[in-house]
């Protein structure tokens, strides 16, 4: 017979496992509809036609199902099967089914190709918004999506080769089978530039290419050498750099030769990475690997830079997306969690932190979408000039701001934030990577100098865009004057390149937000980022700002 409960001096919970004051997962919400900055931004960038598609997509990326795919793709990382059981090389990377689901979802929606396949005003901005939603689920699978998207402008430099490959690249489909490209209706493309002895300085590449003849697509070569970082090695082909007798040259290297035999692209191992875990990054050796030449011999950097420019654009987008995910998680948590008798979201200091995180998102998204808009106007010289400097400025600034942002968002969740079952832990591990690959911070800052020195219209295009935001905020006006003076300073430019890139990025973000018309956001951004203090942590916004309005813009309200 059970004993009666013993009398107790206080009213203890009957069930010690009763859970309360824990935040429900942020899922089964519409990640687009609840995002005010994104909704307004796509309309401003000329992609209003895509609102319905984006809303539909946001419902999917916010669903428990798709969110779960992101977790699974990271919990079960890709594995290398280098040989079969009989000792033959197979060079196969096996991914969890959820990675394939994410890839399929993105590729069938055209995230890798839509603006090239169906160009129209706003096409790049619409695609950018889709990528922004997708990247919030998982950053890793974005790598092959981005490389496939980015390969298109470079491949067009070899017209006959493009004729063969582009229909498969542009197709809205995903075919992960490890079979020759000509048996597939849809393919993905990777990139191999970095070698052991040099990544930023690709002129140090030692991989050699020897001409073997030509076919209906292009001149053909064999490559011997290695690549130190080749991500997404199950891509169907890779744009690679190798040395010919005329210097560094760009090639398209397929996984399978045109005769249907396995190409000499041998995976040595997969990198054990701290982040970007769902994406495989490999070390490879090239043993007489078949390749087609893309662009002229000796013009390899000039050719592949067409691809690199686009991957840098996507780095900026990806980091903005991870900031959005972090801010949304932080606001969501603060709305549900109470401490010291009040919800966190009602506590003044937490409001300051949350609003500051959201301000960062607003600035990042505004700059990224402005670059998308410039991509949508390739005929305009001033837009091309704006893009030329805006890509390194944006890639440098947005990617570099992300680790601290992810850390602060994580801290908003307290201890839970560092636990792998919460996405904030993954956001933090992933955050530094976009700043390093596709040209690290210094390389971007130096590229800003190069753009200013070598492309005559760049400075005027940037200043003209900055000037559009003048008049509403004396602090912004003063910062724009300072940056104009900094552009004139010629002394020791390399040493000051980061300082200049910082100023260019912050003033442009301030100007774009001032132009966008949301007074609360623009006032707070300018007051907190363009005033006198620069050594601040998140959460030190000056008093008197409309922090509630700013937080509401980022609140997923679930
Ligand atoms: C997860 C991951 C995946 C990757 N995937 C790929 C891939 O698929 N394909 C590919 O080709 N590469 C890939 N990379 C490689 C990446 O692009 C390089 O690591 C990056 O370009 C830096 O090159 P590095 O590692 O050789 O560093 P280094 O070039 O040695 O640079 C080291 C540091 O020196 C700085 N530096 C270099 N030159 C200067 C200078 N002149 N002045 C001041 N500072 C300078 C750099 O900014 C950097 O901080 C990947 C990297 C990572 C982390």
């Amino acid at each position: 017979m059970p004993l009666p409960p013993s009398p107790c001096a206080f009213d203890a919970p009957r069930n010690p496992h009763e859970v309360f004051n824990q935040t429900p997962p942020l899922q089964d919400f519409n990640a687009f509809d609840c995002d005010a900055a994104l909704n307004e931004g796509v309309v401003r960038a000329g992609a209003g036609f895509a609102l319905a598609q984006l809303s539909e997509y946001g419902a999917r990326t916010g669903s428990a199902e798709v969110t779960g795919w992101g977790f699974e793709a990271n919990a079960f990382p890709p594995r290398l099967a280098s040989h079969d059981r009989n000792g033959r090389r197979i060079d196969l990377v096996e991914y969890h089914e959820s990675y394939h689901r994410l890839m399929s979802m993105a590729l069938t929606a055209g995230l890798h190709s839509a603006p090239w396949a169906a160009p129209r005003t706003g096409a790049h901005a619409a695609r950018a918004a889709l990528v922004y939603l997708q990247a919030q689920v998982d950053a890793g699978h974005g790598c092959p999506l981005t490389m496939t998207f980015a390969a298109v402008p470079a491949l067009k430099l070899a017209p006959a080769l493009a004729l063969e490959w582009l229909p498969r690249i542009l197709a809205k489909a995903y075919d992960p089978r490890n079979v020759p490209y000509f048996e597939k209706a849809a393919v993905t493309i990777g990139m191999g530039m970095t070698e052991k002895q040099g990544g930023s300085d690709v002129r140090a590449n030692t991989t050699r290419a020897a001409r073997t003849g030509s076919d209906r697509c292009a001149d053909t070569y064999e490559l011997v050498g290695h690549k130190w970082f080749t991500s997404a090695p199950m891509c169907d082909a890779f744009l690679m750099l190798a040395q010919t007798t005329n210097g560094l040259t760009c090639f398209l290297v397929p996984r399978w030769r045109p005769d249907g035999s396995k190409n000499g692209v041998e995976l040595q191992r997969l990198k054990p990475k701290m982040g970007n875990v769902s994406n495989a990054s490999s070390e490879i050796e090239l043993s007489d690997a078949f390749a087609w030449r893309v662009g002229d011999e000796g013009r390899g950097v000039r050719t592949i830079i067409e691809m690199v420019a686009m991957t840098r654009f996507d780095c900026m987008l990806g980091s903005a997306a991870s900031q959005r995910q972090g801010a949304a998680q932080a606001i969501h948590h603060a709305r549900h969690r109470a401490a010291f008798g009040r919800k966190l979201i009602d506590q003044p200091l937490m409001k300051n932190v949350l609003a500051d995180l959201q301000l960062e998102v607003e600035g990042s998204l505004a700059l990224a979408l402005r670059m998308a808009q410039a991509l949508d106007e390739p005929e305009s010289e001033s837009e091309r000039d704006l893009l030329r400097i805006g890509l390194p400025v944006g890639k440098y600034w947005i990617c570099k701001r992300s680790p601290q942002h992810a850390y602060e968002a994580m801290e908003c969740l307290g201890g839970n934030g560092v636990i792998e079952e919460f996405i904030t832990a993954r956001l933090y591990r992933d955050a530094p990577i976009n700043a390093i690959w596709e040209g690290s911070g210094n390389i971007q800052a130096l590229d800003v100098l190069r753009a200013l020195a070598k492309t005559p219209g760049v400075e005027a295009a940037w200043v003209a865009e900055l000037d559009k935001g003048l008049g509403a905020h004396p602090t912004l006006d003063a910062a724009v004057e300072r940056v104009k003076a900094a552009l004139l300073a010629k002394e020791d430019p390399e040493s000051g390149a980061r300082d200049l890139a910082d100023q260019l990025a912050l003033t442009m973000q301030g100007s774009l937000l001032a132009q966008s018309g949301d007074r609360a956001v623009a006032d707070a951004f300018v007051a907190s980022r363009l005033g006198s203090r620069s050594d601040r942590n998140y959460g030190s916004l000056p008093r008197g700002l409309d922090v509630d309005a700013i937080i509401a813009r980022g609140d997923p309200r679930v």
Side-chain angles (χ1 to χ4, degrees):
M1 197 175 151
L3 293 170
S6 50
C8 189
F10 59 92
D11 202 11
R14 293 211 170 166
N15 174 4
H17 295 296
E18 187 190 340
V19 176
F20 62 101
N21 199 23
Q22 283 278 347
T23 302
L26 177 52
Q27 61 190 26
D28 287 330
F29 73 114
N30 190 311
F32 178 72
D33 289 355
C34 70
D35 187 338
L38 184 59
N39 271 265
E40 293 163 16
V42 291
V43 173
R44 256 196 329 274
F49 66 87
L51 288 175
Q53 183 196 4
L54 286 163
S55 179
E56 209 177 300
Y57 209 76
R60 291 198 69 201
T61 58
S63 69
E65 183 187 26
V66 173
T67 305
W69 294 347
F71 276 93
E72 282 174 355
N74 284 276
F76 302 97
R79 289 187 329 177
L80 172 63
S82 59
H83 296 79
D84 71 9
R85 65 180 188 174
N86 300 117
R88 292 184 197 90
R89 289 210 74 98
I90 48 172
D91 298 301
L92 196 71
V93 178
E94 295 163 339
Y95 295 88
H96 188 267
E97 192 50 38
S98 284
Y99 172 89
H100 292 303
R101 291 187 187 112
L102 288 170
M103 287 291 284
S104 178
M105 173 183 175
L107 286 153
T108 52
L111 270 63
H112 65 300
S113 68
W116 312 126
R120 60 168 292 179
T121 306
H124 275 286
R127 182 249 170 204
L130 290 167
V131 169
Y132 186 76
L133 293 168
Q134 183 81 19
Q136 289 175 48
V137 178
D138 165 59
H141 77 289
C143 177
L145 293 177
T146 284
M147 294 192 292
T148 306
F149 165 72
V152 172
L155 264 181
K156 284 185 175 167
L157 298 174
L161 192 59
L163 209 61
E164 176 81 356
W165 280 81
L166 281 188
R168 294 178 174 86
I169 292 173
L170 300 182
K172 285 186 173 181
Y174 177 51
D175 184 347
R177 290 175 305 143
N178 185 27
V179 297
Y181 73 92
F182 49 80
E183 292 180 22
K184 290 184 164 193
V187 297
T188 52
I189 306 292
M191 173 198 267
M193 295 196 299
T194 309
E195 297 187 1
K196 295 185 186 79
Q197 68 284 353
S200 308
D201 185 6
V202 290
R203 293 168 308 175
N205 275 193
T206 58
T207 296
R208 309 212 73 82
R211 174 120 189 245
T212 52
S214 56
D215 65 12
R216 66 192 166 82
C217 292
D219 291 344
T220 58
Y221 290 69
E222 276 181 354
L223 269 51
V224 176
H226 76 279
K227 295 290 165 186
W228 185 228
F229 278 91
T230 299
S231 290
M234 290 310 289
C235 284
D236 296 281
F238 307 85
L239 280 171
M240 285 192 191
L241 293 176
Q243 302 283 359
T244 65
T245 47
N246 289 314
L248 204 57
T249 304
C250 181
F251 297 94
L252 185 70
V253 183
R255 274 180 68 79
W256 296 81
R257 292 191 175 93
D259 65 7
S261 63
K262 187 180 167 314
N263 204 4
V265 179
E266 298 175 352
L267 308 190
Q268 303 304 299
R269 66 165 187 152
L270 299 187
K271 302 270 197 192
K273 293 177 289 184
M274 62 164 273
N276 194 252
V277 166
S278 60
N279 178 36
S281 297
S282 64
E283 296 162 14
I284 62 171
E285 285 190 6
L286 301 161
S287 88
D288 294 330
F290 170 91
W292 291 284
R293 178 162 55 77
V294 182
D296 293 336
E297 281 198 7
R299 309 279 284 176
V301 173
R302 183 154 292 208
T303 305
I304 212 163
I305 204 75
E306 296 283 337
M307 179 178 191
V308 173
M310 290 298 94
T311 57
R312 288 177 179 173
F313 171 65
D314 271 18
C315 284
M316 167 182 343
L317 268 181
S319 288
S322 86
Q323 291 175 10
R324 162 63 189 158
Q325 176 65 278
Q329 293 288 341
I331 296 170
H332 174 72
H333 180 75
R335 238 161 50 78
H336 288 272
R337 177 84 167 176
F340 301 100
R342 270 193 300 176
K343 285 278 157 57
L344 291 174
I345 203 165
D346 296 325
Q347 316 231 10
L349 186 52
M350 182 55 99
K351 283 189 193 193
N352 195 319
V353 174
L354 297 174
D356 211 356
L357 291 175
Q358 176 61 19
L359 280 180
E360 195 71 37
V361 176
E362 301 266 359
S364 300
L365 184 62
L367 183 50
L369 285 177
R370 183 64 188 85
M371 292 304 115
Q373 205 180 341
L375 271 172
D376 273 321
E377 293 188 47
E379 308 305 326
S380 158
E381 195 177 341
S382 61
E383 289 296 292
R384 283 202 307 274
D385 288 338
L386 192 70
L387 196 63
R388 172 65 190 91
I389 182 168
L391 289 180
V393 166
K395 203 273 190 184
Y396 168 77
W397 179 254
I398 298 172
C399 299
K400 247 188 202 312
R401 293 285 289 177
S402 283
Q404 185 68 17
H405 190 276
Y407 155 63
E408 203 63 61
M410 185 164 78
E411 189 170 319
C412 289
L413 273 68
N416 283 354
V418 302
I419 304 304
E420 289 289 352
E421 290 148 315
F422 293 77
I423 197 171
T424 42
R426 174 162 32 111
L427 292 178
Y428 183 66
R429 284 188 287 99
D430 286 350
I433 291 175
N434 275 346
I436 293 172
W437 66 13
E438 303 305 326
S440 327
N442 287 354
I443 298 303
Q444 298 308 301
L446 293 173
D447 195 39
V448 171
L449 295 186
R450 193 172 307 111
L452 287 165
K454 298 214 162 154
T455 313
V458 153
E459 186 172 330
W462 194 261
V463 167
E465 187 65 33
L466 278 183
D467 282 350
K468 289 183 196 163
L470 294 183
H473 301 271
T475 308
L476 172 62
D477 297 356
V480 169
E481 285 314 308
R482 284 199 302 276
V483 87
K484 286 178 183 171
L487 283 166
L488 294 175
K490 301 290 177 222
E491 195 190 331
D492 198 4
E494 281 199 24
S495 165
R498 280 192 182 216
D499 183 42
L500 180 63
D502 287 353
Q503 291 186 57
L504 290 169
L506 275 171
T507 46
M508 183 56 81
Q509 289 181 324
S511 173
L512 292 170
L513 293 175
Q515 293 173 51
S516 77
D518 188 288
R519 193 74 208 205
V521 168
D523 284 354
F525 190 93
V526 169
S528 59
R529 281 142 171 89
L530 295 172
S532 51
R533 279 196 61 192
S534 60
D535 57 341
R536 45 186 294 285
N537 277 320
Y538 285 110
S540 32
L541 296 177
R543 291 176 181 79
L545 298 168
D546 192 350
V547 288
D548 289 322
I550 298 165
I551 295 167
R553 289 172 63 77
D555 191 343
R557 289 182 200 86
V558 179

